[in-house]
Amino acid sequence: QESVDGRYEAAIGVLLGLAALTKLYPAFLAAPLWSVRDAQGRRRWRWPLPAAMFATVALGYLVYSAPGVNTLGFLAAYNREAFNTAPGVWWLIEAGLRLRLPWHQTVTLALAAAMILISLALTLFPARTPRQAVLRCAWPIGAYILINANLFSWYVLWMLPLVAVTFTPWRPSAAFAWWAFSGLVALSYTFFLEWERVAWAINLQFYALYALLFVALVYRVVSRRRRDVVAWRAAH
């Protein structure tokens, strides 16, 4: 018996497909939600979820496929817009410019590479439980937020449900970092006061996020190290 029923996986695939038809980025969640072990802890290649998602997306585009109709809409122009761009993204852009790459291509390639690597890692090392598979959606969502040249406040919304189920007040964690950023990202609207980039607002948002994520990483490594030492001492 599998830990997730195929009918439910197909339903998830349809929902992901509908979400991707609205905004392409929810398709990034297919890898973590699909990569989960069965009840016996084995990796089984179940196809209802990806098949349902791709079928839904294909059907959605087929409905609007017609001569003279631009089915991709505003996507090409959207990739050339910049708003509330993180310092880390500017570092990538500067590196791309040295390679004579247009800035928007650098961001697109970096985001694509990050998603491919994350999806590959999640597929090769599937989650042990469905709950863990859901929580691991934070990886592609986080990469999308961090590698995005056009980040509006509401782009952080799909991270908040994962923060809500893992958040521990005043304890260093990734959930705490994203919780803090979900409030700080409202500073992006300082742009509209004078219709120009406000450097301090952008830096406060993202450097706080970088710092909190780094602290969470250090805390997790140290805590795990302490647990291993305690376990070793108890065994000896």
Side-chain angles (χ1 to χ4, degrees):
Q1 181 182 2
E2 296 184 354
S3 56
V4 179
D5 190 288
R7 295 170 297 177
Y8 296 133
E9 289 197 321
I12 292 171
V14 171
L15 292 174
L16 280 178
L18 292 173
L21 287 171
T22 304
K23 194 83 170 177
L24 290 176
Y25 298 111
F28 296 152
L29 304 184
L33 293 177
W34 181 57
S35 302
V36 58
R37 300 179 189 274
D38 64 17
Q40 288 73 42
R42 293 173 297 189
R43 176 63 159 106
R44 292 189 178 180
W45 300 100
R46 298 178 301 273
W47 299 108
L49 191 156
M53 185 187 75
F54 285 118
T56 302
V57 172
L59 181 61
Y61 275 94
L62 183 63
V63 170
Y64 291 96
S65 179
V69 175
N70 180 12
T71 55
L72 294 180
F74 185 65
L75 183 61
Y78 172 81
N79 284 339
R80 289 171 168 79
E81 291 190 345
F83 174 78
N84 199 37
T85 307
V89 176
W90 283 115
W91 301 336
L92 291 172
I93 291 173
E94 290 172 1
L97 290 176
R98 287 194 288 270
L99 298 174
R100 298 185 179 180
L101 287 175
W103 72 266
H104 56 89
Q105 286 187 11
T106 299
V107 177
T108 300
L109 290 173
L111 181 59
M115 291 304 171
I116 291 172
L117 291 174
I118 291 172
S119 298
L120 182 60
L122 295 178
T123 302
L124 293 177
F125 302 97
R128 295 182 177 85
T129 65
R131 173 183 168 83
Q132 186 185 38
V134 172
L135 294 179
R136 297 203 307 176
C137 289
W139 286 97
I141 294 174
Y144 166 77
I145 294 172
L146 289 172
I147 311 174
N148 193 323
N150 194 31
L151 186 73
F152 287 88
S153 294
W154 62 85
Y155 290 11
V156 186
L157 285 176
W158 58 336
M159 180 66 88
L160 291 184
L162 303 176
V163 170
V165 298
T166 57
F167 180 79
T168 302
W170 311 117
R171 175 183 174 182
S173 66
F176 182 84
W178 288 113
W179 170 78
F181 182 72
S182 70
L184 290 172
V185 73
L187 291 172
S188 63
Y189 292 112
T190 55
F191 171 87
F192 297 106
L193 296 176
E194 301 290 342
W195 288 88
E196 61 182 21
R197 181 175 178 268
V198 181
W200 69 262
I202 294 174
N203 291 336
L204 179 57
Q205 294 171 66
F206 289 100
Y207 283 119
L209 176 60
Y210 297 159
L212 289 172
L213 287 174
F214 178 75
V215 170
L217 176 61
V218 172
Y219 179 83
R220 182 170 182 176
V221 171
V222 171
S223 298
R224 180 172 295 180
R225 175 61 178 168
R226 287 176 177 173
R227 288 195 300 268
D228 291 342
V229 169
V230 170
W232 183 86
R233 290 176 176 174
H236 295 79

